[in-house]
Amino acid sequence: MRRNRERSADRIQKETDGRNPVWPLFSGIHRAGRFLPSPKPAKRSLLSWKRFAAIVKKEFIQVKRDRISMAMPFMMPIVMMFLFGYAVNTEVDQVPTAVLDLNRTAESRAFIEHFAASGYFRIDGFVQNEQEIKTAVDADVIKVGLIIPPDFDRKIQRGETAAPQLIVDGTDPTTARTAFNSGMLVSEMATRQLLDERLKQLGGISLKAPSVRVTTKVWFNPEMESVRFTIPALVGLILQNVTLMLTAFALVREKERGTIEQLIVTPIRSFELIVGKLIPYIAIGYMGFLFALSICMFWFSIPVAGSLPLLLTVGFLFVLCSLAMGMLISTFAGTQLQAMMGMVFILLPSILLSGFIFPREAMPPLIAALGNFIPLTYFLEILRGIVLKGVGMPFIWKNTLMLGGFTLLILSAAMLRFRKRLD
Amino acid sequence: MHDGQAPFYAIEVEHLTKKFGAFTAVNDISFQIPKGCIFGFLGPNGSGKSTTIRLLCGVLQPTSGYARIMGRDVVKDTETVRHSLGYMSQRFSLYEDLTVEENLNFYAGVYGLSKAVRESRKQDLIRMANLEGKEKKLAGTLSGGWKQRLALGCALIHKPDLLILDEPTAGVDPVSRRVFWEIIHALARQGITILVTTHYMDEAESCDIVSFILDGRIMDHDTPQNLIAAEAGARNLEDVFIRRVERATGHAVSGTFQEMRFIHETES
């Protein structure tokens, strides 16, 4: 090596633009001598703001350069809210219906007219026999078949119970249930009216039978639109997804790219590293939350009935909670792909069990109890409470407390696992 | 071993052992490296080099024995030791999405340097790595040699007493390799102790002291010249290295291509 050094001197000159490549290094800070120790501080404070600031700054620059991370808090609300706001609609109306009218009288036509006018059914056509209904249901052309028996008008005129038949395709339970319920409602109303008219024809008097009628009033969502139920909850779900994903990726990235190897030999403390790395994601996660909330308020016109500052405060708490979950995932995953798989384990249950779409009241007690271990469950109740009902702290303090508890618990677990030593 | 105030040795290792379950990665090793030396740490892959380095950095806890860097125990005084330690890993752990300058700024911040100190050192290091004019380039866009020297710059920004280089020249072209070693020798002349692992025996021959480690044990610890002289018939350190491995494993290190008959067979 020494012998060859002269020979390659000219190549080195080329590589270094003809300048002496090195020296002296650290001009002005001369070393005292080979064998003198350089003074180093022996005692150090628990947290160094310089180190902390260096990490925060570095992470901000990295996020800024990462287009996907920057786009996520905006793209996810847009895509998910429009998807759920328009495509996912649990209200069923205009169910395609075929009619088999075996009676063909004024009464039967009036009855069919009631179905068409209700808005729940769309009369797509009339068929000649039951087999045609079966074929149409099989072909998925219709969901409902209405069969009116030949003796329909006679039974009504005699004051007997007429028995029209409603055939419902039960493949999709939501559609079937709605069709079934509205079918019952429509026919009851139609029969009552037909009966009324019949009685009037007979004697010119209207029969006033004593009856009990429940008057109903729906609060908070008078039209019972599912959008008002789904969209505010989406704000919470999106907030969780964005924060969780970005956090998990950010921490795993250092492992995957090997930069963590360099960091663990520096004086950085794991506390400084974690908190420093997370600050930018608190900011981004919160931005996503604000953006999703604005879509909810201004595009879907669902105003916040309660206190907006309260919502923003609890929202911040939930950002922290999601962040902690992302961190916990990152301590298990070695690569971003593994982190992605870990996220599925959190995201799917939080969609299914939190009451985001499926009401927790309908779940078996054991499954509903599982939902109690998902922070999103508590945040959704808070979110819907503030946005739709306009409730304040007296009604949400319990959930807020639970959320805070979860945040502390998950954060400590992640911190403990995120040890600086490798063994 | 040292006079308390100013330790003579940069690295002191005594009966250092590290076990992972039943596997002993580092088996009772002891050595001392005087300050300002270039110490070549040689051994086949998986012989315990990286584990020893991790023990020296205080990243792993030793099962028994101890190590001292600049007279300070790496387990009890981990944080102080880390301030006097510069480390460059095999993979040049740079942030590829940060610029040259931002990488240096980050490590300066990590070691708590003031802005004035940072700026003056940064200039020196950028000149050293010959990265002038490339300050605003993303580290990921640099070629191997530049990356390697930038990684070295990041490891030097806090002015360490001991520089640990884990296969710093792996995958780097010969010219960059030569430039890099010029820098290493210049650093040693300024009093920085250097521990370097390498598979290039020409690099090892230019070290002041080399150690052979095999199956977690130190086989030899001497100057390259003495090692070559002691091994009869060895012309260079590569011969010494191969003989050591042969003796330890009881197998001749030679190609076994003759045994792979299928290479010579004609396909029917």
Side-chain angles (χ1 to χ4, degrees):
Chain A
M1 174 114 191
R2 282 187 217 278
R3 257 178 290 123
N4 298 337
R5 203 166 287 153
E6 281 85 355
R7 250 179 274 156
S8 62
D10 55 324
R11 295 175 65 194
I12 294 168
Q13 291 288 83
K14 235 179 260 167
E15 166 102 328
T16 57
D17 294 339
R19 263 178 279 111
N20 180 335
V22 203
W23 315 111
L25 187 55
F26 303 146
S27 49
I29 315 165
H30 290 299
R31 290 173 167 268
R34 281 171 80 110
F35 301 121
L36 281 183
S38 56
K40 287 275 151 67
K43 278 184 185 168
R44 297 167 48 254
S45 59
L46 220 66
L47 180 130
S48 150
W49 286 107
K50 275 211 186 92
R51 289 200 296 260
F52 190 66
I55 298 163
V56 174
K57 197 172 170 195
K58 180 212 101 185
E59 207 66 32
F60 259 118
I61 298 173
Q62 286 185 306
V63 178
K64 207 178 69 192
R65 299 220 171 112
D66 183 3
R67 277 196 200 161
I68 294 176
S69 294
M70 281 306 278
M72 189 126 76
F74 301 102
M75 285 315 288
M76 204 190 264
I78 291 175
V79 172
M80 286 186 79
M81 291 182 100
F82 282 78
L83 220 58
F84 277 93
Y86 293 108
V88 179
N89 195 343
T90 49
E91 294 154 51
V92 182
D93 50 11
Q94 299 290 326
V95 181
T97 307
V99 179
L100 173 59
D101 186 359
L102 298 171
N103 188 239
R104 295 170 200 269
T105 56
E107 279 83 358
S108 72
R109 275 190 291 278
F111 185 70
I112 294 163
E113 194 46 50
H114 272 285
F115 267 76
S118 73
Y120 293 114
F121 301 93
R122 189 185 68 214
I123 312 294
D124 277 0
F126 290 84
V127 293
Q128 302 307 318
N129 52 53
E130 225 171 299
Q131 186 55 42
E132 279 182 63
I133 288 181
K134 193 178 180 310
T135 316
V137 168
D138 284 348
D140 217 13
V141 178
I142 59 158
K143 296 270 183 211
V144 171
L146 176 64
I147 303 172
I148 299 171
D151 55 356
F152 183 72
D153 61 323
R154 262 170 288 147
K155 288 226 167 156
I156 286 182
Q157 278 162 12
R158 280 193 222 128
E160 289 171 27
T161 308
Q165 204 182 350
L166 197 69
I167 295 168
V168 178
D169 174 6
T171 322
D172 173 1
T174 315
T175 311
R177 202 173 304 122
T178 318
F180 181 78
N181 290 340
S182 33
M184 297 291 279
L185 204 72
V186 170
S187 69
E188 194 192 317
M189 279 167 61
T191 335
R192 185 187 283 265
Q193 205 176 328
L194 285 170
L195 202 65
D196 245 23
E197 280 166 20
R198 175 91 189 100
L199 287 169
K200 261 186 231 162
Q201 281 173 5
L202 280 176
I205 45 141
S206 172
L207 190 71
K208 286 259 185 250
S211 66
V212 176
R213 181 177 290 174
V214 178
T215 55
T216 56
K217 192 168 182 191
V218 177
W219 282 1
F220 311 125
N221 184 5
E223 279 87 46
M224 293 198 273
E225 296 166 84
S226 61
V227 168
R228 291 177 68 88
F229 180 70
T230 319
I231 295 291
L234 256 178
V235 175
L237 186 71
I238 287 167
L239 165 60
Q240 179 193 269
N241 292 4
V242 169
T243 319
L244 195 90
M245 230 176 253
L246 291 182
T247 313
F249 282 168
L251 291 171
V252 170
R253 211 152 34 207
E254 299 255 0
K255 273 197 242 179
E256 204 174 54
R257 296 185 186 168
T259 43
I260 195 89
E261 236 185 289
Q262 190 78 42
L263 286 184
I264 53 176
V265 299
T266 68
I268 290 183
R269 285 159 187 270
S270 43
F271 174 78
E272 294 164 348
L273 180 63
I274 293 179
V275 179
K277 278 185 79 78
L278 294 188
I279 284 182
Y281 299 100
I282 296 177
I284 293 181
Y286 202 66
M287 251 156 49
F289 168 59
L290 292 181
F291 184 63
L293 191 63
S294 334
I295 295 185
C296 165
M297 290 168 72
F298 303 116
W299 182 270
F300 289 100
S301 308
I302 303 169
V304 177
S307 152
L308 191 60
L310 180 65
L311 182 62
L312 295 182
T313 313
V314 188
F316 185 74
L317 179 65
F318 190 60
V319 169
L320 293 183
C321 190
S322 313
L323 209 80
M325 285 192 276
M327 243 173 77
L328 195 62
I329 291 179
S330 77
T331 66
F332 289 98
T335 63
Q336 296 189 57
L337 191 68
Q338 286 172 359
M340 191 77 207
M341 276 149 49
M343 262 176 278
V344 176
F345 277 100
I346 290 192
L347 295 190
L348 213 57
S350 62
I351 289 174
L352 297 178
L353 302 181
S354 65
F356 167 60
I357 304 178
F358 307 109
R360 298 183 66 225
E361 291 78 6
M363 294 175 191
L366 193 71
I367 303 291
L370 278 178
N372 290 334
F373 295 97
I374 297 170
L376 184 65
T377 309
Y378 300 95
F379 187 59
L380 288 190
E381 275 177 28
I382 296 173
L383 203 57
R384 282 176 177 145
I386 297 177
V387 174
L388 298 179
K389 298 188 192 170
V391 298
M393 214 51 195
F395 295 92
I396 64 161
W397 68 270
K398 264 189 199 160
N399 278 3
T400 311
L401 215 60
M402 286 302 288
L403 215 53
F406 267 111
T407 309
L408 277 180
L409 199 75
I410 301 169
L411 205 64
S412 340
M415 285 281 198
L416 278 176
R417 284 192 49 85
F418 204 98
R419 279 165 309 182
K420 232 175 136 185
R421 292 185 196 280
L422 288 177
D423 60 352
Chain B
M1 214 172 299
H2 58 79
D3 55 17
Q5 277 302 303
F8 177 74
Y9 293 115
I11 309 174
E12 298 160 84
V13 171
E14 293 280 346
H15 303 295
L16 195 65
T17 300
K18 177 69 192 178
K19 291 180 180 167
F20 295 105
F23 173 67
T24 307
V26 173
N27 196 350
D28 191 26
I29 62 170
S30 304
F31 59 82
Q32 286 92 34
I33 305 299
K35 288 187 172 182
C37 272
I38 301 180
F39 171 45
F41 201 36
L42 315 178
N45 293 328
S47 56
K49 287 185 311 240
S50 292
T51 308
T52 308
I53 287 178
R54 290 191 157 172
L55 288 167
L56 290 178
C57 295
V59 174
L60 290 177
Q61 296 271 17
T63 309
S64 62
Y66 64 85
R68 276 201 286 260
I69 303 285
M70 298 295 147
R72 291 188 188 270
D73 191 289
V74 296
V75 176
K76 293 185 200 124
D77 232 346
T78 312
E79 301 297 332
T80 316
V81 165
R82 283 183 180 170
H83 267 282
S84 58
L85 201 81
Y87 172 74
M88 187 179 142
S89 73
Q90 290 175 28
R91 295 160 67 181
F92 316 145
S93 310
L94 295 165
Y95 293 98
E96 306 221 320
D97 47 353
L98 296 188
T99 65
V100 168
E101 200 175 7
E102 286 161 352
N103 267 289
L104 289 166
N105 284 346
F106 173 62
Y107 283 105
V110 159
Y111 286 100
L113 303 184
S114 71
K115 202 178 172 198
V117 174
R118 182 185 83 194
E119 289 307 313
S120 86
R121 288 188 189 178
K122 207 164 68 183
Q123 277 188 353
D124 283 350
L125 290 167
I126 285 175
R127 204 183 316 130
M128 172 203 85
N130 196 31
L131 283 162
E132 286 152 313
K134 292 188 162 66
E135 289 93 338
K136 304 271 183 254
K137 278 192 115 181
L138 292 183
T141 64
L142 300 174
S143 62
W146 307 109
K147 269 189 199 167
Q148 173 207 42
R149 291 195 293 274
L150 174 58
L152 181 66
C154 291
L156 283 172
I157 198 149
H158 60 296
K159 215 169 75 163
D161 298 302
L162 171 66
L163 185 61
I164 295 179
L165 309 166
D166 197 359
E167 292 184 32
T169 51
V172 167
D173 69 78
V175 173
S176 297
R177 200 151 75 87
R178 185 58 49 80
V179 173
F180 187 78
W181 273 91
E182 290 287 342
I183 298 173
I184 298 303
H185 282 282
L187 288 171
R189 281 198 295 277
Q190 291 189 51
I192 296 179
T193 314
I194 289 146
L195 186 160
V196 57
T197 72
T198 181
H199 290 306
Y200 295 107
M201 290 303 134
D202 58 334
E203 292 180 356
E205 268 176 52
S206 73
C207 293
D208 299 314
I209 308 173
V210 294
S211 265
F212 276 119
I213 184 167
L214 200 64
D215 293 333
R217 288 175 182 277
I218 299 263
M219 311 297 286
D220 287 288
H221 184 77
D222 211 333
T223 63
Q225 292 73 26
N226 286 351
L227 284 174
I228 297 169
E231 186 77 37
R235 284 157 296 157
N236 51 36
L237 213 49
E238 185 147 344
D239 291 344
V240 180
F241 184 89
I242 289 171
R243 301 266 173 93
R244 288 284 182 280
V245 175
E246 282 178 346
R247 217 172 299 150
T249 57
H251 287 291
V253 176
S254 62
T256 49
F257 300 110
Q258 286 81 359
E259 291 159 25
M260 293 159 65
R261 294 225 192 95
F262 70 89
I263 292 175
H264 306 291
E265 279 169 6
T266 47
E267 298 210 9
S268 48

